[in-house]
Amino acid sequence: MTELVPTKDDKFSFGLWTVGWQARDPFGDPTRRELEPAEIVHELAKRGAYGVTFHDNDVFPFGSDDASRAEHIARFRKALDETGLIVPMVTTNLFSHPIFKDGAFTSNDRAVRRFAIRKVIRNLDLAAELGAKTYVFWGGREGSEYDLAKDVRAALDRYREALDTLAQYVKDQGYDIRFAIEPKPNEPRGDILLPTIGHALAFISTLEHQDIVGLNPEVGHEQMAGLNFMHGIAQALWHGKLFHIDLNGQRGIKYDQDLVFGHGDLLNAFALVDLLEFGGPDGGRAYDGPRHFDYKPSRTEDLTGVWESASANMRTYLILKQRAAEFRADPRVQEALATSGVNDLRVPTLAEGETIADLLADRSSFEDLDVDAVSSRGFGFVKLNQLAIEHLTGIAA
Amino acid sequence: MTELVPTKDDKFSFGLWTVGWQARDPFGDPTRRELEPAEIVHELAKRGAYGVTFHDNDVFPFGSDDASRAEHIARFRKALDETGLIVPMVTTNLFSHPIFKDGAFTSNDRAVRRFAIRKVIRNLDLAAELGAKTYVFWGGREGSEYDLAKDVRAALDRYREALDTLAQYVKDQGYDIRFAIEPKPNEPRGDILLPTIGHALAFISTLEHQDIVGLNPEVGHEQMAGLNFMHGIAQALWHGKLFHIDLNGQRGIKYDQDLVFGHGDLLNAFALVDLLEFGGPDGGRAYDGPRHFDYKPSRTEDLTGVWESASANMRTYLILKQRAAEFRADPRVQEALATSGVNDLRVPTLAEGETIADLLADRSSFEDLDVDAVSSRGFGFVKLNQLAIEHLTGIAA
Amino acid sequence: MTELVPTKDDKFSFGLWTVGWQARDPFGDPTRRELEPAEIVHELAKRGAYGVTFHDNDVFPFGSDDASRAEHIARFRKALDETGLIVPMVTTNLFSHPIFKDGAFTSNDRAVRRFAIRKVIRNLDLAAELGAKTYVFWGGREGSEYDLAKDVRAALDRYREALDTLAQYVKDQGYDIRFAIEPKPNEPRGDILLPTIGHALAFISTLEHQDIVGLNPEVGHEQMAGLNFMHGIAQALWHGKLFHIDLNGQRGIKYDQDLVFGHGDLLNAFALVDLLEFGGPDGGRAYDGPRHFDYKPSRTEDLTGVWESASANMRTYLILKQRAAEFRADPRVQEALATSGVNDLRVPTLAEGETIADLLADRSSFEDLDVDAVSSRGFGFVKLNQLAIEHLTGIAA
Amino acid sequence: MTELVPTKDDKFSFGLWTVGWQARDPFGDPTRRELEPAEIVHELAKRGAYGVTFHDNDVFPFGSDDASRAEHIARFRKALDETGLIVPMVTTNLFSHPIFKDGAFTSNDRAVRRFAIRKVIRNLDLAAELGAKTYVFWGGREGSEYDLAKDVRAALDRYREALDTLAQYVKDQGYDIRFAIEPKPNEPRGDILLPTIGHALAFISTLEHQDIVGLNPEVGHEQMAGLNFMHGIAQALWHGKLFHIDLNGQRGIKYDQDLVFGHGDLLNAFALVDLLEFGGPDGGRAYDGPRHFDYKPSRTEDLTGVWESASANMRTYLILKQRAAEFRADPRVQEALATSGVNDLRVPTLAEGETIADLLADRSSFEDLDVDAVSSRGFGFVKLNQLAIEHLTGIAA
């Protein structure tokens, strides 16, 4: 099927740190050699990606001097030029170095907080230079293991200060960049600040520069809190704050697995792709940005496996897109949606122009409502879900 | 110790449905007889509560006619008058009756949505009459089991419409009432809308009448998503949105246990009480509203056990308050907090009047920072936490 | 596709309490009318089930006198006779009545423990009479909420006493019945005894009559502990103890959802059906007993939805079976399995007749092993899993 | 209080890898320097530990030649001799090196399986030489991320083969060593084989040499599956298989935190210490082996914090022991236990010599039982638990 071959229009992107992961984990040493950024760029391009993303220290080591940094960047840019891959998103590593052990923007140590902001600014300039439109903030070290060791309200003050300072910088420089916060509930910290899509959305609503700050939700991160990722994405869209997305797979509440997209909760992935691709007002895309894979090729894989896993992400996305299209096109599905009243929810509860007084005067809404009749309605949700299963499994195709 | 006897100043309140729970659960029939609201009011008053709260149908049955409703309310009010108990909070039952099986404000059935708003309005009038200052919205049925059966964005539209309509009503009537949304991730629905403190805060930020809408977070509900309840409360306070609180106990990610406060994660409960009682700017209360227990006496208990469990909630709260006071007063704790830099986080990262240009010019913040020296700092968090344990266990007292 | 129509050979069975569930949940009243057992039997037969199962009090109420009990049973038998449905399994309700609030076999009250054994014996006679070959024990009330309220070792003594006493009775009576323990980690108790497949297998190994005691694992119950259900079933098979199975759907660690089979973790359900149907030594069935659905039609469904949900269980099972057959038949899959060394694991680590001394003398196994070469092997697991996804979604069909 | 100072009788031991952890985590580099084993031994001895434990590669690097290995061991032994610390337990590192990426005893690669057995044998000799009585097997890499990539039944065959081969070796050599399996549900593998205490106990029951194989359960590992650790330990004791124990702290279902003992679920830790110290038949110890701390000093700590955290483990254990002793000695507790019928559960359900026929003939047990009276009993569990809280917090002291 031709539609399962990725094209630039699919907007698939990968982080350098994903396929480049050497497979060190908390209990084991690396199983794979280091990959040069340029090597990654070439292979991703060949496989159909349109973009590549990075943390500063994916391209040059922490503490590089200017010359070394420039040289690393030059090699990376060359690969971009050779392949036509773009850099839709850039981010900062504010978690690997020991200096960030108690956080970056919210470390109890002010020197760390100042250093962190400086580190971001330096990389923002690079992001702008490379044409990135989104700058991601994953605050993996912003949090605590011990409840009394972190003043959460002060930490949120500092988090806000950092984001607003950096947003101000972006505006001052005239950069065409928006920020995207990536929530995560825990790991590496016991409890991370802004643990879910919801907490981050709430936080954003308090920012001075909230106009350029949105979200970069990740499948596995929400599922680590047992939350429904599709629901979270829908709420992010509803707030107009889905600026970027991290696709991967997670099998339930446990450590952060970063599996290939779809290799976790497949049903929820199906609903997610359906929403992203066909949830727009006109049945088109509800989100038009990069489909960014933030995953890790399992430690058991060699480089052949790494590259096959990269392709697997894109292919699974395209499979789900195809199945969702068939689902939406099936008249039985349309009928089931009608029975379930799914689209009826778009109708406002009060009629156009109806006042509260009008509602109170409408005895049919309360005093005279045939409660038993309304209560006895069957919503047919199981049947609708079974249709989804049958499309997802291709039985209904 | 005299301070372990509840007084009105402690502001302890209980829902009628808590001690009144007959202990029917998904796998079993009731083990206790029904309790009259008046009986509950008298016993709670005797045990030191200052307030009692209720859903409309805790006081009168669903579908009561006006006369029957009035009679039930009269009996309840008489008990309030006799005991001096106040009604700080009222709420609506929008979940027990089959009509709400797919939700109330967000049911796919518009007739249900209209009915739900009407039901709330009727009970808002009663709440105002009884002097309640807070009206709680727990949307336990607002959600879905099946991803494709609920248009989440439409549901959030309807949720907003309902809340803003009802807030408008409250303002129109001149009621001195604020709304408090109670988040929950799941149960009875597979995925409930506004699943956490964060999601609800974000939602509130979009309301027309957000000035009178805040939160009623519940210990167990956040812990059902594996989230740190104290962190959540701190964020709610930071947003100025902690309007009410539901205290109880939960032992990890599982069904909603509604144990006695402190009978779950005791360490987190300690940090919570410390925050509520001593987290104010002056070391006083960070939250001055009711300490509301929303728990269920275990199914194994008879009425003697029920009342002992009611007292256990208040007593555990007071124990934790005493231990937290001792913790705060201990000079070793003050020293440990200093070593950990907990209070240093209140210092802004940029100096007063410092501009971004100034920061960029400050080579000591980045170029000349002794990264190794800063990185080698030990934060002493384990020691601080051990001090908390030693105070909590009274060893340090 | 004809193979998606259930036949008797598929051995699909349902509990009376599944489709018969009236949809009362912890927060809501029933949404559906009661169904007569006979009505259920007829409809299940029509839809392709081969068997029906029940708790004693699904057929006759708790405390029925002999005449009433007999009458209820007679009506049920008549339906069985009319439809040809068999009763492959029977069980006891030891959880709904208040008398069991602290457990049945392990209640702290000895009178309850004696009563429970008697209740089971009475129903064992009925099970034998109806030709059931399996008798299930779900000890949902055997457990505790409070660690110090239950002497777990004494409880296990009593549990063993009860099972061995009942097994003795079965043998004394010459009944052709085996017992199957159904583990569950929690709900309705805070912590249930024998919480997982593993704990129950271990317990069984201590029984006097362990020869006739095995397991009845349930999808959702293991998944409520975050465990891999297919792994658990494989271990149960390995012990020769998979006597019965409860199929349903669960979406992660939360309350017991009892969704339709496959409406939860679809990938794991695929691997499960693959194991059950094609995991036998000859590529045939690894388990030949009933495929028993223990699920609950969602509270939002009316009776039409109930019956459609019953069919959905069977249909999803058959879809997964078909996809697994295709997966096994695909030469690319065979090649991927070889690359991954999946079947190599069946080769003993020591050669036939090799002694420990021989192994120690084999320098190629240790001293002279090319560790780097062995370590560099790629297992190709992601590719294999992607093939599973592509078969499951029918793309590879 | 003198009893809070650790003594040899307390049998506190630590792994070299615990305090020696350099704090590399999945998202960050080491924050602390390497510690020499000898340095660790001296400091632990000073702080009151009686024993130290290790993996082979904690003392000498993977792949050391004989001379280098001997030299490392000599330095370690010297420290033991100087301090009088014993080595109660030894284990093998079968997880860090890339060769074990798909497991050790159950790798799909037979060469790895053979290598793993050889590696253990070599270290068993050392363990015997050092007088260790327990040899631990943590199979962290034995498992899978992908359901179809591991033949679980074949893996269990190989696991059994490995354990029985090694046990045979121990017996052949006449070593006074017993094996202890350490279960874990996941991390670093997606699903680890023998995920819980129960699964491991069941597995052991199938071993040829099961007489010398038991368990080494770890607090956090069971809690990562949401299981009650005290319940698990009670079942392990009941099977006579608690050979060793790993104490630490975990805050719910998430990544493996390895906090200080008691810094997680404090109530469950209290019940655990109560069981271990006072759960014996005579009210004495129910388990007399090492109290082994398997924890990690948080990444935020420097070496001062590391050593303070080591002491915190022991001190918290002793605090809980003291509080449990007071709890047991309190007459109100004895009365509450009686009301709750906790000890009544030790009374067999059938009277001594009572046959099934006798039970059936006892109409008072069933036909004539006053079900309502029995059902109405209140068990007083909440009160009992509240007494536990009041002792744990020292309010009742």
Side-chain angles (χ1 to χ4, degrees), chain A residues 7-19:
Chain A
T7 69
K8 301 266 172 193
D9 288 345
D10 292 315
K11 298 193 176 175
F12 291 134
S13 60
F14 290 79
L16 285 180
W17 68 91
T18 64
V19 289

Side-chain angles (χ1 to χ4, degrees), chain D residues 4 19 65 110 122 177 183 191 198 206 232 242 250 277 299 315 329 333:
Chain D
L4 295 182
V19 288
D65 60 29
R110 184 166 173 262
R122 190 165 203 222
I177 283 179
D191 293 290
T206 73
L242 186 66
Q250 174 77 15
E277 296 293 331
R299 195 167 173 273
R315 199 167 153 82
V333 170

Side-chain angles (χ1 to χ4, degrees), chain A residues 263 315 323 386 390 393, chain C residues 263 315 323 386 390 393:
Chain A
H263 288 209
R315 198 165 155 82
R323 292 305 187 213
Q386 181 64 16
E390 302 200 3
T393 57
Chain C
H263 288 209
R315 199 166 155 81
R323 292 305 185 213
Q386 181 65 15
E390 301 199 6
T393 56

Side-chain angles (χ1 to χ4, degrees), chain A residues 130-382:
Chain A
L130 294 172
K133 299 283 178 263
T134 306
Y135 202 90
V136 161
F137 292 84
W138 174 60
R141 296 278 174 204
E142 321 288 2
S144 67
E145 286 72 39
Y146 307 104
D147 295 349
L148 295 152
K150 188 64 65 180
D151 179 332
V152 172
R153 290 167 297 167
L156 293 172
D157 282 338
R158 297 293 80 72
Y159 220 146
R160 177 164 55 190
E161 181 188 5
L163 269 286
D164 268 333
T165 298
L166 292 163
Q168 184 66 57
Y169 178 78
V170 161
K171 289 183 175 178
D172 289 348
Q173 300 295 316
Y175 292 159
D176 182 20
I177 284 180
R178 297 192 304 177
F179 291 176
I181 296 175
E182 179 176 332
K184 191 177 184 188
N186 61 74
E187 197 197 343
R189 300 309 297 270
D191 293 290
I192 297 178
L193 297 169
L194 310 182
T196 75
I197 286 174
H199 296 77
L201 285 170
F203 171 77
I204 290 166
S205 76
T206 73
L207 296 177
E208 185 188 341
H209 298 296
Q210 61 182 267
D211 54 310
I212 64 162
V213 185
L215 287 190
N216 177 44
E218 176 170 322
V219 174
H221 292 182
E222 301 302 308
Q223 293 180 345
M224 288 168 71
L227 298 175
N228 187 313
F229 187 68
M230 185 278 284
H231 274 213
I233 290 301
Q235 184 165 353
L237 286 167
W238 186 73
H239 287 267
K241 290 297 185 190
L242 186 66
F243 284 10
H244 201 262
I245 192 166
D246 274 1
L247 301 173
N248 61 17
Q250 175 77 14
R251 300 186 75 179
I253 305 178
K254 53 177 70 165
Y255 73 97
D256 188 9
Q257 294 193 280
D258 283 336
L259 301 170
V260 164
F261 179 60
H263 288 209
D265 184 337
L266 189 62
L267 269 171
N268 197 248
F270 176 68
L272 174 71
V273 172
D274 176 66
L275 171 63
L276 296 177
E277 296 293 331
F278 308 115
D282 54 346
R285 287 185 165 180
Y287 160 79
D288 197 38
R291 274 67 178 149
H292 183 250
F293 299 106
D294 187 359
Y295 85 112
K296 292 197 176 76
S298 295
R299 196 166 172 273
T300 51
E301 306 303 299
D302 61 11
L303 284 183
T304 305
V306 165
W307 295 119
E308 280 171 341
S309 75
S311 290
N313 279 291
M314 296 185 280
R315 198 165 155 82
T316 301
Y317 189 97
L318 293 173
I319 291 170
L320 296 177
K321 181 180 170 186
Q322 178 175 314
R323 292 305 187 213
E326 293 159 0
F327 174 78
R328 290 284 152 200
D330 183 346
R332 292 175 308 160
V333 170
Q334 292 305 319
E335 193 186 318
L337 287 167
T339 302
S340 293
V342 174
N343 297 338
D344 299 345
L345 191 51
R346 295 182 196 148
V347 181
T349 301
L350 270 64
E352 206 180 326
E354 188 179 11
T355 64
I356 299 177
D358 294 338
L359 175 65
L360 288 169
D362 174 14
R363 295 188 57 89
S364 78
S365 72
F366 193 65
E367 294 83 354
D368 300 343
L369 186 71
D370 185 342
V371 166
D372 288 345
V374 174
S375 301
S376 68
R377 171 178 179 175
F379 281 95
F381 292 153
V382 178

Side-chain angles (χ1 to χ4, degrees), chain C residues 292-314:
Chain C
H292 183 248
F293 299 106
D294 187 359
Y295 85 112
K296 292 197 176 76
S298 295
R299 195 166 173 272
T300 50
E301 306 303 299
D302 62 10
L303 284 183
T304 304
V306 166
W307 295 117
E308 281 170 341
S309 75
S311 290
N313 279 289
M314 298 184 280

Side-chain angles (χ1 to χ4, degrees), chain C residues 12-61:
Chain C
F12 291 134
S13 61
F14 290 81
L16 284 180
W17 68 92
T18 64
V19 289
W21 186 56
Q22 288 187 258
R24 184 197 300 281
D25 74 16
F27 298 94
D29 297 327
T31 66
R32 294 188 292 261
R33 71 168 171 86
E34 206 175 340
L35 293 181
E36 273 293 301
E39 185 178 356
I40 295 174
V41 168
H42 278 279
E43 187 68 29
L44 287 177
K46 209 165 69 187
R47 288 176 178 269
Y50 98 124
V52 66
T53 69
F54 65 91
H55 305 86
D56 46 359
N57 302 139
D58 297 333
V59 173
F60 50 90

